[in-house]
Each structure stands twice: as C-alpha cells, then as structure tokens.
Amino acid sequence: MNHDALLADLDDDQRRAVTCAPTATVIHAGAGSGKTRVLTHRIAWRIAQGTADPSRVLAITFTREAAAEMRKRLRLLGVTRHDRAGDLDQPTIGTFHSVALALLRRRAADTSAQLPTVVGNRLSLLDQALGEQSLGRNSAGVLAEIDWAHARMVSPDRYEAEAERTGRKVAVAPARVAAAYRAYEQLKAKRGLVDLDDLISHATRAINERADFAAATRFRFRHIFVDEAQDMNPLQYSFFEALRGNRDDVFIVGDPLQAIYGWNGADPALFASLPDALNKPTVLTLPGNYRCTPQVLAMATHVAADNGATPNVHSRRSSGFPVEYFEVEDEYDEDYLIRDIIGPYVQPGIDPSFAVLARTHAVLEPLARVLGAAGIPVASRRASAARTNAIDELAECRTRHDLTVWAADIIVESTDDDERVVAEQVQAYLRSSTKGDVDGRSAAAYLRASHAGPESYGVELLTFHAAKGREFARVVIVGAERGLMPHSSATSDEQLREEARLAYVACTRAADHLTVIRAKRRKGRITAASPYFAQLPDGVERRGRNVVATERPRLSTPTDPKVLAERDLKRRLRDVRDVIARTNFTLPEAVLSDVEIARIVTERPGDVEHLARILGPLTANRLGSTILREVNEPAAS
C-alpha cells in the first residue's frame, strides 16, 4: 500500500484527519466534505503505518448500503480482497444490527446456546399479544412507538412519563401504548423471539455482564470506527461504549447539522457529548464542501441559521447558477411549473440527475401524475437499486459456504423485500446446483440472466428523509410554507431545530441547481411562507409564476363517495407504508410502491392469495394481514 498515494487526493483538512495520532478522534464532517473518503483512507493509513491490525478493525455504519460502499472503497485502496465481510484477517464492516448479531452467534457457538429467532411479522405478533384489544389501523403507529422506546431504552413502565416529557404524538392514549408495549414484550419472551433492536441490547448485556466475553470481543475489535455518529440513539451508543470499554482507539465521524432522526429515537446530544466522554480526544473539522456550488451552500447555511447554527462550511467549487425562489398561486401551479422546469433536462435512457424533494410524501403524489401525463419518467427506486446492490454484493462470495452464510444473513437481518427475494433465489440456486463450481460470480450471473429487469431512469420524487445520503445535479424543493417547513407536528424547541436541520439536508442534496417553490394557497387555504425562506440571502433570484387555468384540469369531484373512499384507502396504505419504512430505516417505496398501492385500491384483494398476485408471495405474506385490514376497514366519514 503506497503511503503517498493514500494522501494524494486529499485536501489539507482531510489529510490532517487521516494522519492524526492513533488515539480517540472526533471528526465534524460537513455535508459534501468527503467523510466516507476520510474514514476509509484513515483505516487504510492506519494499516499501512502498522498502527492497526486489519483483522482487529471494526467499522460501524447505519445502513447495509453504506457498509457495502465502505467495503468497496477499502477494496480499491487494497485493504480488502473482496466486497464481503467475514474473513478473520480483514476488517469487519457492518451495521449496528449485523455486528450485534455476529457477536451473539459467536457467543451462542461458544456456549452451545440457541440463538434467539428474529420476529418475522411484527405487526401480526403485536395483534396476537393484544388479542381482543387489537389496535386495528393504529397497530403500525404503536409499533413505531415501541421501536422509539427501545431505541431510547425506555421500559413499558416508563413509557407514559417519557412520552409526556418529550411531547410524543400518537393516535392512541399513552397508557394504551404502554399496555401494548408490555404485552408485546411478554409474548416475545414467552416465544423466545427478538426484534432487531433486541439484538443490540442482548449483545450489549452479554459484553457488560460477562468479563470473558467482553475481553474476547475487545481483543477482536481493538480499532473502532463509527460513521454517521450524529444518528446514534441511546441503545446504539450503549453498544458502542460496551465495545469500546474505555479504550481510546476510536475514530468517530458525524455532522450535527445532519441529525434528522430524533423522531425515531436518535439523540444528537450523544455526538456532542463525545469530547467529554472520551479521554481528551482530537477534535477536527472537515469544512470543505465539494458537492455544492457557493450559491447552493449559501442558501443551505441560511436555512441552518434558523437552527441557531453557524455552519463552518465553505464550497470548494467555483461560482455557479443562482438559486431560484418561486412563489406560485397554488399546488396546481406548483406541479405544472415543475413540469416545465424538468422537461428540457429529460432525455430517454439518460439519467437526468434531477430530484424533487418535499417534506411529506403526500405533496409529491399529484406531481407524479402530472409528470406522467407529460411523458416525463419518474424513477422507481423499488427493486432496481436494492436488487442490484444485493447481486453485486453476493458476486464477491468466493465459495458455496460464503453464499450460504450471505443468504442466511440477509434473511435474518434485512427488512428490504428485494434483498430478501435475492437471498431466497440464492438459496434456490444452491439447492439446484449440486454439481460443478458454485461461487458468487456464478450465482450472480444466474440471477442476472434469469431475473433481469429493465433499468428505471427518470426524475426522483423523494421526501427530505429519503434524500439523505443522495446528491443530484438539479434539485427542486417544494412546499416552502409554514406547516410543511417546519412541519406542523413539530412543537418543541428540539423538534423545530430538527426541522431546520432537515431543510438544510434537503438544500445540500443539490450540486449545481437549486430551486425552491412556495404555493400561496394549498388545499384551498392561504399559506404563510416558511421562515427558512422569509428572508433570502443575496444572489437568490425571486420569481413569480402563473399558469393558465385551462392547463390545470381538476380531477374527480371531491364529493364523489367512491373517489373519497379510494383516497381514504390510499392515504391509510401510505400511512402504514411510511410507518414501516421509518421503523426499518428504508424508503417508503421499498415497502410498497405507488403502483402497487394503486392496484390494491383498484382490485380490493380479499385474501393473501389475491394480494400475492399484486405484491408477490414474500411481501404478501409479510404485510398481508396489515394491508387486508386496511382494505376491509370502512372509509373514514
């Protein structure tokens, strides 16, 4: 490994972070500052310098996709030989859940104990736990509250007090949530089942309570690296502390301005507390933004100021196009303006690198219809990205055993339907391939040839949360109004600060062009401009736009009972989808696509068999009871 080559493409701040002394280090990495590059180069540098043993390196991140990207970069740097974790002579790279699961497997093997079974259908288990007291359509929301409580290490007995203290808003009374939480935990224990978060708590307890297991674990993982540390929740932080064991060999990267998961249990105060928790750590900043033009970054930092923050970031790019701010009459004008903005940049078969971002998915749904009617393709991230990533990952497996372990891991760990389908197809391939050489390349070739699907190009329509970690040449932000930005559900000071951070994240997804749109009326009501854009920084071009009424056909009359019933069912299915997606840190489209929701509303399946013809058997079996309950629920009056 060439030492000079590792530093050749780094700026001074990045080089300082990569080469600092091998002790506790906290990196504040601004948006677009190359944090993944710094983290992977740091690992490679430590190994090249002889201050880290690759087999003793543990790198933890929050998503399987991020872990796969880290392995890929380390492979290109010569640290790993392939894009899969598992070899004892290579770094261990994974999510909090996968690392915890691997430790529990090892513990079970050492003690001849049985590894707990991960719950398959959590909504069904909750319904079984409640019996006649079933929560119906509120089950998914209550399950999300249980996950929040797990993440915050809040027991059923403490839930009511904590929910009141933090201002949690749930459709059912806190006392009923606490009772459901208690019943759910009791049934899990009775059946020997665990949630994904239970894997982390079980692994943490095993380390803290068993000195021999703690010593072995800390001997194995001497050098700990954590990515996106601003998103840690108390449960994950306790796991990190158990792994660390008061040692100083940790390298932690995060950006407080991108802490946007407080609603799901994350606590950005944990990242802020690290300098005090660690032993006199080195604290460094990566202020250079290589993604955004100065104009885009000026708008983003202006938004962040509403969070009371003064971001220490500056653009490393030359001057670009001015940011545009439009005020239109209503949401119909908004959709048709976006159509006209997007049209010139879309060409068949070419990725336009164009995204429309909104605070909520409901704002985007009408836009998808307008773009479709104009022949502008809307990209679907369901299946293509998750499936392609999974196949690329399994292609690096070198033996039948590696393939078997990979498929089993996915089925146990992953909550993404497309990844699990790939894993089941791999298992079927292994059962059918009894002769000849079997490895990841042969399995990947089989899956690509037998289950090929068309590439999906087009404009991305994403919520702010779903856009995190992505970047586009052109971004349009819609709904720049109070009630959406910040969202009306945000009432506490911390929730309002998180809303400002969320808007900052949305702005920094744009590399070259950023457009912000406010509708003066939405759903027939007069709106107020978002405070984030009430005063605009210098250089922003303020514009107005009116669309001729004949261009804006209104659809079915809102008084039609059939239309109202269909809209109500669509809304409820989207609500369920969004809760499941938030719970599993995935995109809503990875749970149910808009096309699938439309088919469910049209066909009104009466059983799982019919639902399987729409969603496929795996998804139908996992979500069937929840979806069918919504289909059979009377429309809201």
Side-chain angles (χ1 to χ4, degrees), residues 198-265:
D198 289 329
L199 298 175
I200 298 176
S201 59
H202 284 25
T204 303
R205 189 180 309 117
I207 294 171
N208 289 336
E209 294 180 356
R210 296 301 302 252
D212 57 341
F213 185 56
T217 299
R218 291 166 186 161
F219 176 78
R220 169 75 193 282
F221 298 134
R222 299 181 194 172
H223 325 291
I224 301 176
F225 299 78
V226 182
D227 192 17
E228 299 281 10
Q230 79 280 348
D231 291 332
M232 280 194 294
N233 60 44
L235 179 62
Q236 292 161 340
Y237 185 83
S238 69
F239 183 45
F240 161 72
E241 283 287 79
L243 291 168
R244 183 173 74 91
N246 295 319
R247 296 172 300 164
D248 294 335
D249 197 344
V250 294
F251 189 86
I252 303 168
V253 181
D255 180 10
L257 277 176
Q258 296 190 72
I260 59 173
Y261 294 111
W263 52 269
N264 212 25

Side-chain angles (χ1 to χ4, degrees), residues 363-506:
V363 175
L364 297 170
E365 188 178 67
L367 174 61
R369 293 196 295 268
V370 170
L371 297 182
I376 296 174
V378 175
S380 172
R381 288 183 55 76
R382 192 180 195 279
S384 58
R387 180 179 176 82
T388 299
N389 289 340
I391 293 177
D392 287 346
E393 190 174 323
L394 74 88
E396 300 297 334
C397 296
R398 293 172 295 170
T399 66
R400 177 187 287 270
H401 173 73
D402 286 348
L403 277 173
T404 302
V405 172
W406 181 88
D409 284 348
I410 293 293
I411 289 172
V412 170
E413 299 172 30
S414 181
T415 56
D416 185 278
D417 288 344
D418 295 310
E419 285 186 340
R420 292 167 65 89
V421 167
V422 170
E424 291 183 349
Q425 290 168 351
V426 168
Q427 290 181 326
Y429 172 72
L430 291 171
R431 288 193 298 268
S432 64
S433 302
T434 56
K435 297 180 180 180
D437 293 334
V438 174
D439 59 13
R441 290 184 179 181
S442 64
Y446 168 78
L447 263 63
R448 287 169 179 146
S450 304
H451 305 276
E455 292 285 350
S456 175
Y457 295 102
V459 178
E460 299 260 18
L461 307 183
L462 301 169
T463 63
F464 292 173
H465 283 103
K468 187 173 184 291
R470 309 284 305 282
E471 61 180 79
F472 305 90
R474 299 173 177 86
V475 167
V476 176
I477 293 176
V478 298
E481 303 121 39
R482 190 180 294 275
L484 287 173
M485 300 173 60
H487 195 269
S488 58
S489 63
T491 55
S492 69
D493 289 344
E494 177 50 41
Q495 288 169 339
L496 290 169
R497 285 192 290 269
E498 182 163 310
E499 289 291 312
R501 295 194 295 267
L502 191 54
Y504 170 81
V505 167

